[in-house]
Amino acid sequence: KAGVTQTPRYLIKTRGQQVTLSCSPISGHRSVSWYQQTPGQGLQFLFEYFSETQRNKGNFPGRFSGRQFSNSRSEMNVSTLELGDSALYLCASSLMNRGLGTEAFFGQGTRLTVV
Amino acid sequence: GESVGLHLPTLSVQEGDNSIINCAYSNSASDYFIWYKQESGKGPQFIIDIRSNMDKRQGQRVTVLLNKTVKHLSLQIAATQPGDSAVYFCAESSQGGSEKLVFGKGTKLTVNP
């Protein structure tokens, strides 16, 4: 079965612009989480969506937002881009079941470069 | 505050040796722990998980040990292979009903042939 798909894979934007990243979870998965990965800060939680509702949010400014659609696909948006937003943005999907063996599957990420 | 850390940023082993990667966490409310492997240019890949009501779990060539007394997690890889070279992250979760993961900073494992 297809894995988590993130588009685009690479993106270059200019400071002040806005960007939208897309994530298609594994079929049947209803929970989608977003993470930012940088060399300095590592993997940091951005937000989590389940059934089109944001269930949890990390410690990021309001410029970072997201949403989830009825088919579980999710988008995240970053407005007024800053150089420090350059990072690998990862999406993870899960069944929303904490039984052992049920884990979060990650996509390959979108590499965002802000210039 | 929340933090999940690793003792060593890099680890180099010989092919065929056993590898041990360590992780310390600070949140005593953590109830679920996972190890991920991330190869260059790829997203993290699930290796093995463990709940807080267990102290050991084994998979194929991997074993995770959990010591809640000292808040320590370790990943043991048996007969390490060149394909095991990657960055390994531990992650924890402590929020019931949420999939939020708190990640450690990672250990880069290099396997020498």
Side-chain angles (χ1 to χ4, degrees):
Chain A
K1 85 183 169 183
V4 178
T5 303
Q6 290 189 245
T7 56
R9 287 292 312 278
Y10 303 93
L11 205 50
I12 300 176
K13 289 286 189 178
T14 305
R15 273 181 301 175
Q17 286 186 312
Q18 68 92 27
V19 66
T20 299
L21 312 180
S22 179
C23 171
S24 293
I26 292 172
S27 177
H29 284 195
R30 298 169 64 191
S31 175
V32 173
S33 300
W34 288 89
Y35 294 83
Q36 181 196 65
Q37 186 174 27
T38 60
Q41 299 300 315
L43 278 149
Q44 292 189 293
F45 172 79
L46 279 158
F47 22 66
E48 175 201 351
Y49 288 88
F50 180 76
S51 292
E52 302 178 64
T53 302
Q54 187 180 88
R55 290 165 41 88
N56 209 339
K57 190 177 191 304
N59 189 24
F60 279 82
R63 298 184 298 106
F64 291 81
S65 63
R67 59 178 175 169
Q68 187 180 33
F69 302 95
S70 58
N71 61 358
S72 294
R73 190 177 71 84
S74 178
E75 289 181 346
M76 67 163 282
N77 184 279
V78 188
S79 62
T80 320
L81 284 165
E82 301 176 358
L83 295 179
D85 296 333
S86 295
L88 180 66
Y89 289 88
L90 290 158
C91 168
S93 79
S94 63
L95 277 170
M96 193 54 204
N97 179 354
R98 281 302 178 76
L100 279 175
T102 303
E103 68 272 12
F105 293 86
F106 282 83
Q108 298 216 63
T110 294
R111 173 72 65 185
L112 172 65
T113 302
V114 182
V115 298
Chain B
E2 297 174 323
S3 71
V4 180
L6 290 165
H7 293 311
L8 292 172
T10 62
L11 176 65
S12 184
V13 300
Q14 291 297 123
E15 181 178 358
D17 287 352
N18 296 333
S19 303
I20 299 177
I21 301 172
N22 295 305
C23 178
Y25 64 95
S26 61
N27 188 349
S28 57
S30 299
D31 61 1
Y32 181 61
F33 304 87
I34 315 107
W35 281 100
Y36 282 93
K37 170 187 179 183
Q38 187 175 26
E39 297 172 287
S40 181
K42 296 184 179 180
Q45 176 188 356
F46 173 90
I47 300 173
I48 191 167
D49 60 3
I50 189 168
R51 295 190 69 88
S52 58
N53 60 354
M54 302 174 71
D55 53 21
K56 180 179 180 179
R57 190 164 187 236
Q58 289 184 290
Q60 187 176 13
R61 284 201 305 118
V62 295
T63 300
V64 56
L65 299 177
L66 175 63
N67 185 330
K68 294 180 289 294
T69 303
V70 295
K71 298 193 188 72
H72 184 268
L73 189 69
S74 69
L75 175 70
Q76 300 177 1
I77 304 173
T80 314
Q81 303 167 0
D84 294 328
S85 294
V87 178
Y88 289 80
F89 294 94
C90 64
E92 61 92 359
S93 181
S94 58
Q95 302 205 3
S98 170
E99 299 297 296
K100 175 184 176 181
L101 297 171
V102 176
F103 282 85
K105 296 237 180 265
T107 292
K108 183 176 181 180
L109 174 66
T110 301
V111 182
N112 302 306

